[in-house]
Amino acid sequence: MHEVKSPKKPLISYYIIIIAILLLFNLIAMPRINQMEIEEMDYGTFMRMTEKKQIGQVDIRDNEIIFTNKSGSKIYRTGLMEDPDRTQRLYDSGAVFSSEIVEETSPWITMLLSWILPLLIFIGIGQYLSKKLMEKAGGGANSMMFGMGKSNAKIYVKSSSGIKFSDVAGEDEAKENLTEIVEYLHNPKKYTEIGAAMPKGILLVGPPGTGKTMLAKAVAGEADVPFFSMSGSEFVEMFVGMGASKVRDLFRQAKEKAPCIVFIDEIDAIGKKRDGQIGGNDEREQTLNQLLTEMDGFEGNTGVIILAATNRPESLDPALLRPGRFDRRVPVELPDLKGREEILKVHAKKIKVDPDVDFNKIARMASGASGAELANIVNEAALRAVRDGRSCANQQDLEESIEVVIAGYQKKNAILSDQEKKVVAYHEIGHALVAAMQTHSAPVQKITIIPRTSGALGYTMQVEDGDHYLMTKEELENKIATYTAGRAAEELIFHSVTTGASNDIEQATKLARVMISRYGMSRDFDMVALETVSNQYLGGDSSLACSAETQTRIDEEVIELVKTQHEKAYRILEENQEKLHQLADFLYEKETITGAEFMDILNR
Ligand code: ADP
Ligand code: ZN
């Protein structure tokens, strides 16, 4: 492709004119704004005013909130905090959302700023574009896109990224893997003297929110080099050819600033397998080809190291994984119990927490949560504390936040009918009672039957006694029994079944199937692998590797396994019917039962 540089210069002078116009209007408008005195206010007071319906107008801006009291006689300013239901609460309090509070006093300026100025800019841009198009008529439109396709890779020069390995909690293996890169960036000579070439590309592989971006930034932060970042989905834009030109531009910038780190998030967006389908995505393919060309084009020792993140490595085009490209893979897994505790502590340092908080307990309760979810839990806890007017977040804030983050927000206005509530109570107690009666199952932490926006009616939180990777056949069978126990309780008490068990059915079936086809825990098949797993990270797509006849036998075994466990669960509940009633009554009354209360009633 040919480079055409002409549009660059006029574009710049054009921007200067626009900025000048903007400045002029700001000069006229500013003194007016300053006439109204704006009082600073802390976020807690803002929230209390919202609650007491004392807010008149409110304007939520990029990094601050401007609002007035009910009569409009005073204007306040407060900082912006992450607070997802703020808009709803403000709306409920009767506040008026206004986009330009301060301009109230001078309507003509509002007019000018909100109507005439944008109009002028639009007319200007329109004229400019049509002029350019006319000039370059006949294939020239492409050149315009070169100007627009200029990479907007964000550059975090030097320590401005500021993130160090110590900010990334857990993930020790990944950090260890990446230390070598830092070492190389610090002292490339040591490597070049021996003749060792650093890998050009490193693939960070793991589920979303596990800190891949953070790790990439930390490598740059530790090595004290510039950090360029770009997301794969950004490359794939509207116009054909733009993605490729962005890649070219990104690498040009990177080579100028070497040594440096280039980070490509969501690389699967451009690097998907080229499946040879008719009408495949041309744009993506061009972008991918450009990336491959760039990677081959520079030597391993130029000091540009490319880190890329993906959660679906198996979907990547093999060409990307060839030696000299992304030939090194660093797994970034979901944090284990210890990792979760560390992540919670790292984020808790950013807020005020009660010194008595038991982080280990929180980490146990949040089994399976990603780093991003844990960060969210801590933030949510701080917001709860502010809402209640307390000066620091406590254990209860954190525990409640787990439910908020993991199970969705409480939906107080969705009321279950009485009969529904009763069924849900028995269903949930059914799960918990069967889990408790089988010694190997995890004890129950808390059950609630308050509906959540996630759609789940009841919600049972189980605590596992630490992460363990090896599970016995018996433990897995007990788990299946626990999944089926909700339905079993409905059958036992109401002699009918509801639709509320669809998720349980799915889970039980999935578990039974992997026991037979993957873990070799069947009666007939011994240790023969009956399926191969192709996708480790997104739920585990797997394909059966056996004859149709064997498939039928697997299905039969799965059915038998689930059926046996379902019957076992039913029997356990039948034998403990008295307790089932007592516990379900309690849950129905209170809507929530804690693990301690549960055990108390059970052992009474
Ligand atoms: P990914 O790129 O894997 O999707 P990010 O690096 O963007 O995940 O993580 C999102 C946020 O989650 C981070 O900004 C950070 O607040 C939090 N986080 C994730 N993993 C960790 C971790 N290991 N330690 C501390 N915070 C983490
Ligand atoms: Zn259930």
Side-chain angles (χ1 to χ4, degrees), residues 11 14 122-138 140-141 144:
L11 205 61
Y14 197 72
F122 272 112
I123 292 172
I125 288 178
Q127 253 175 5
Y128 170 77
L129 287 184
S130 59
K131 205 175 108 205
K132 278 288 149 203
L133 272 176
M134 282 205 297
E135 265 175 24
K136 310 246 162 196
M144 193 180 71

Coordinates of all heavy atoms in Angstrom, one line a residue, residues 11 14 122-138 140-141 144:
L11 N -5.2 19.3 8.5 CA -5.9 18.8 9.6 C -5.5 19.5 10.9 O -6.3 19.9 11.7 CB -5.7 17.3 9.7 CG -6.9 16.5 10.4 CD1 -8.2 16.7 9.6 CD2 -6.6 15.1 10.6
Y14 N -6.6 23.0 11.1 CA -8.0 23.1 11.3 C -8.4 22.9 12.7 O -9.2 23.6 13.3 CB -8.6 21.9 10.5 CG -10.1 22.1 10.3 CD1 -10.6 23.1 9.4 CD2 -11.0 21.3 10.9 CE1 -11.9 23.3 9.2 CE2 -12.4 21.5 10.8 CZ -12.8 22.5 9.9 OH -14.1 22.6 9.7
F122 N -19.7 21.3 13.0 CA -20.2 20.3 12.0 C -20.1 20.8 10.6 O -19.7 20.1 9.7 CB -21.6 19.9 12.4 CG -21.6 18.7 13.3 CD1 -22.1 18.9 14.6 CD2 -21.1 17.5 13.0 CE1 -22.1 17.8 15.5 CE2 -21.1 16.4 13.8 CZ -21.6 16.6 15.1
I123 N -20.6 22.1 10.4 CA -20.6 22.6 9.1 C -19.2 22.7 8.6 O -18.8 22.3 7.5 CB -21.2 24.0 9.1 CG1 -22.7 23.9 9.4 CG2 -21.0 24.7 7.8 CD1 -23.4 25.3 9.6
G124 N -18.3 23.1 9.5 CA -16.9 23.2 9.1 C -16.3 21.9 8.7 O -15.7 21.8 7.6
I125 N -16.5 20.8 9.5 CA -15.9 19.5 9.2 C -16.5 19.0 7.9 O -15.8 18.5 7.0 CB -16.2 18.5 10.3 CG1 -15.4 18.9 11.5 CG2 -15.9 17.1 9.9 CD1 -15.6 18.0 12.8
G126 N -17.8 19.2 7.7 CA -18.5 18.7 6.5 C -17.9 19.4 5.3 O -17.5 18.7 4.3
Q127 N -17.6 20.7 5.4 CA -17.0 21.4 4.2 C -15.7 20.9 3.9 O -15.3 20.7 2.8 CB -17.0 22.9 4.6 CG -18.0 23.7 3.8 CD -18.1 25.1 4.1 OE1 -17.2 25.6 4.9 NE2 -19.0 25.8 3.6
Y128 N -14.9 20.7 5.0 CA -13.5 20.3 4.9 C -13.5 18.9 4.2 O -12.7 18.7 3.3 CB -12.9 20.2 6.3 CG -11.5 19.5 6.3 CD1 -10.4 20.2 5.8 CD2 -11.4 18.2 6.7 CE1 -9.2 19.6 5.8 CE2 -10.2 17.6 6.7 CZ -9.1 18.3 6.2 OH -7.8 17.7 6.2
L129 N -14.3 18.0 4.7 CA -14.3 16.6 4.1 C -14.7 16.6 2.7 O -14.1 16.0 1.8 CB -15.2 15.7 4.9 CG -14.7 15.3 6.3 CD1 -15.7 14.3 6.9 CD2 -13.4 14.7 6.2
S130 N -15.7 17.4 2.3 CA -16.2 17.4 0.9 C -15.1 18.0 0.0 O -14.9 17.5 -1.1 CB -17.5 18.1 0.8 OG -17.4 19.4 1.2
K131 N -14.4 19.0 0.6 CA -13.4 19.6 -0.2 C -12.3 18.6 -0.5 O -11.8 18.4 -1.6 CB -12.8 20.8 0.5 CG -12.1 21.8 -0.4 CD -11.7 23.0 0.4 CE -10.2 23.1 0.6 NZ -9.7 23.8 1.7
K132 N -11.9 17.8 0.5 CA -10.8 16.8 0.4 C -11.3 15.8 -0.6 O -10.5 15.3 -1.4 CB -10.6 16.2 1.8 CG -9.7 17.0 2.7 CD -8.2 16.9 2.1 CE -7.6 18.2 2.5 NZ -6.4 18.6 1.7
L133 N -12.5 15.3 -0.5 CA -13.0 14.3 -1.3 C -12.9 14.7 -2.8 O -12.6 13.9 -3.6 CB -14.4 13.9 -0.9 CG -14.6 12.8 0.1 CD1 -16.0 12.6 0.5 CD2 -13.9 11.5 -0.3
M134 N -13.3 16.0 -3.0 CA -13.3 16.4 -4.4 C -11.9 16.5 -4.9 O -11.6 16.1 -6.0 CB -14.0 17.8 -4.5 CG -15.5 17.6 -4.4 SD -16.5 18.8 -5.2 CE -16.2 20.3 -4.3
E135 N -11.0 17.0 -4.1 CA -9.6 17.1 -4.5 C -9.0 15.7 -4.9 O -8.3 15.6 -5.9 CB -8.7 17.6 -3.3 CG -8.5 19.1 -3.3 CD -7.8 19.5 -2.1 OE1 -7.0 18.6 -1.5 OE2 -7.9 20.7 -1.7
K136 N -9.4 14.7 -4.1 CA -8.8 13.4 -4.3 C -9.7 12.4 -5.0 O -9.6 11.2 -4.9 CB -8.4 12.8 -3.0 CG -7.6 13.7 -2.1 CD -6.2 13.2 -1.9 CE -5.3 14.3 -1.5 NZ -3.9 14.0 -1.6
A137 N -10.7 12.9 -5.7 CA -11.6 12.0 -6.4 C -10.9 11.0 -7.2 O -9.9 11.3 -7.8 CB -12.6 12.8 -7.3
G138 N -11.4 9.8 -7.2 CA -10.8 8.7 -7.9 C -9.8 8.0 -7.1 O -8.6 8.2 -7.3
G140 N -8.8 8.4 -4.2 CA -8.2 9.2 -3.2 C -8.8 9.1 -1.8 O -8.1 9.4 -0.9
A141 N -10.0 8.6 -1.8 CA -10.6 8.5 -0.5 C -9.8 7.7 0.5 O -9.8 7.9 1.7 CB -12.0 7.8 -0.6
M144 N -7.4 9.6 2.8 CA -8.0 10.2 4.0 C -8.0 9.3 5.2 O -7.8 9.7 6.3 CB -9.5 10.6 3.6 CG -10.1 11.5 4.5 SD -11.8 11.8 3.9 CE -12.5 10.3 4.3

